[in-house]
Amino acid sequence: DGVLVPSGDAHSSEYVAACDERRAWLTGFSGSAGIALITKKEALLWTDGRYFNQAENQLKNTDIQLMRQNEPDVPEPGEFCAQNKNLYKIGIDPTTCTLNFAEEFRRQISSTSSKPITLIATEG
């Protein structure tokens, strides 16, 4: 139903090598912090206040919606998935997802909805 693409690499580096810039390649956003969610119907990118201007400029003329993290009325990625009635399975590459990220994502889902959402390991 969707796939999450975080910024990280297999070493949880903040600044990743060019060969590991999956989210930047997919979205065009090159900031060091951000998470993309691609579904059948939409594409979204979450980033924090340090990157709002950069993301706005780099996402211009794309169909990717900027989700301004920590702003009022902007759901976190897990909350968004829980609120979206068409999302039940979310793919994520386990080499780019820390255990803390997965636990926080699940917490966001369960605090918003009782709808079961499954995280599915993907490759590269």
Side-chain angles (χ1 to χ4, degrees):
D1 300 324
V3 64
L4 277 174
V5 184
S7 313
D9 61 10
H11 308 287
S12 298
S13 306
E14 181 175 2
Y15 299 100
V16 299
C19 62
D20 290 322
E21 292 181 342
R22 293 167 184 85
R23 195 223 49 244
W25 174 83
L26 185 63
T27 66
F29 172 63
S30 62
S32 66
I35 301 167
L37 173 65
I38 311 301
T39 74
K40 295 175 185 177
K41 295 186 178 191
E42 56 195 331
L44 306 104
L45 173 83
W46 280 263
T47 193
D48 63 48
R50 298 172 294 168
Y51 297 103
F52 288 170
N53 290 336
Q54 178 182 347
E56 205 169 86
N57 289 329
Q58 291 179 332
L59 298 178
K60 198 179 294 184
N61 301 319
T62 73
D63 291 328
I64 301 169
Q65 180 181 346
L66 175 59
M67 303 297 283
R68 298 170 184 266
Q69 267 181 315
N70 304 316
E71 292 291 304
D73 301 320
V74 176
E76 290 296 321
E79 295 168 342
F80 177 87
C81 291
Q83 294 166 0
N84 188 314
K85 64 181 179 180
N86 297 315
L87 294 178
Y88 289 94
K89 297 177 184 173
I90 306 294
I92 188 159
D93 180 350
T95 66
T96 64
C97 171
T98 65
L99 182 58
N100 286 343
F101 176 88
E103 288 174 348
E104 175 61 17
F105 186 77
R106 288 183 192 278
R107 187 200 61 74
Q108 291 170 7
I109 291 169
S110 63
S111 70
T112 307
S113 169
S114 60
K115 177 179 86 170
I117 296 179
T118 305
L119 284 178
I120 299 171
T122 61
E123 292 184 29

